[in-house]
Amino acid sequence: MEIINLEGTEDTPKIILDKTNKIFSISGRSLPEDSAEFYQPILEWLDEYAKDPLPETIFDFKLEYFNTASSKLILDVLTKLEDIENAKVHWYFYEDDEDMEEAGEEFSELVDVEFELKPY
Amino acid sequence: MKFIYEMHQMMLKNNIILVYEGEFTQEITKSVLAMAERNMDSMGEESGIKRKVFNVMVECLQNIVKHGDEYFTGEKKINTAIFMIGKHEESYIITSGNPVKDERVEFLKNKLDKINSLDKEGLKALYKEIIKSGSGLTNKGGAGLGFVDMARKSGQPLEYDFEPLGDGHSFFSLKTTVPRG
């Protein structure tokens, strides 16, 4: 399957979606001008992946910051994971970043996917 | 030339650390954010406060980029707004001002009044309600969550004012206070 590997910028996150190496990760900052357009390929990739997923999928979110327009798209990404068997989210946050911790808690309440909140 | 001195004095008096007037785009947003971040870094601001200020700035700036109505005076099309950050002993003050169409004033007032009437739990509930409403993004690419998020991150009411411009537009001023520590 195709690999998505986007370098992070000052307003877009670093994204790696690599089935062969079992890496599913979004990290950094997400405040693109058009979040729907930015996340579209990610959502399409997940649709494709969902047809033949690995026995276990661990999706890492290690976001430093995301804007509200991105939050809607992050929810869309998480919603895709609901349809993938044995998908699990590792939600990383700076240990003193209560807002990011709370964001993880809230997302975990909004979707039916196993979450692990991980301070670092 | 005296206005230069006067403007400097006014900025000092109001503890303004950054002011931008002009057109607002994503590129400008990134530059303003970078300047404000450097400023807070060089003053050794605490990371938690920095994050909250950054957060409020992003929503505020992107609101203007998305909703700053094109404002016409005669022949000239003006799409300009103002954005300022003040740094005080107790707080950071993030303010913006931009023209909006008169027909949007009522909607904005209702939205802001509703947000200001809610406590922490109420805001959290409203945030979750909007995000899962399934309506997707607005045609401007917003999630309808910006003000809610600004109120949540600052923990303070959002102060606002509308100044009629008399030609179908009003000048929308918005002030968010982020307490320091």
Side-chain angles (χ1 to χ4, degrees), chain B residues 52-117:
Chain B
K52 286 187 193 290
V53 173
F54 185 84
N55 199 110
V56 171
M57 283 194 300
V58 171
E59 296 304 327
C60 195
L61 289 161
Q62 291 192 325
N63 260 343
I64 306 175
V65 173
K66 291 198 171 88
H67 299 290
D69 291 18
E70 286 175 351
Y71 174 54
F72 291 85
T73 50
E75 293 289 289
K76 264 175 92 184
K77 187 178 82 176
I78 308 176
N79 182 13
T80 66
I82 188 162
F83 177 83
M84 287 181 279
I85 305 171
K87 184 189 178 184
H88 302 261
E89 279 294 313
E90 306 288 318
S91 59
Y92 282 92
I93 312 272
I94 295 110
T95 43
S96 63
N98 57 290
V100 296
K101 289 202 177 78
D102 280 341
E103 64 241 37
R104 279 185 49 82
V105 171
E106 213 44 43
F107 168 82
L108 289 167
K109 272 187 182 166
N110 288 341
K111 181 137 193 171
L112 289 160
D113 287 343
K114 181 179 182 187
I115 288 168
N116 287 341
S117 73

Side-chain angles (χ1 to χ4, degrees), chain A residues 10-11 29 31-33 35-36 65 67-69 71-73 75 94 96-97 99 102 106 109-110, chain B residues 26 30 37 47 51-52 54-55 58-59 62 124 127-128 130-131 137 141 143 145 149 152-153:
Chain A
E10 57 189 331
D11 63 349
R29 287 182 173 188
L31 53 137
E33 180 165 24
S35 52
Y65 174 75
N67 66 352
T68 52
S71 66
K72 194 98 188 170
L73 274 302
L75 183 62
Y94 277 130
D96 71 337
D97 191 348
D99 290 327
E102 199 178 351
E106 283 171 18
E109 291 159 13
L110 288 166
Chain B
Q26 174 78 357
K30 286 193 280 184
E37 266 197 303
S47 61
R51 278 196 297 267
K52 286 187 193 290
F54 185 84
N55 199 110
V58 171
E59 296 304 327
Q62 291 192 325
K124 178 178 172 152
Y127 185 92
K128 287 172 81 169
I130 298 173
I131 198 172
L137 299 178
L145 289 164
D149 194 52
R152 291 187 76 191
K153 297 290 157 54

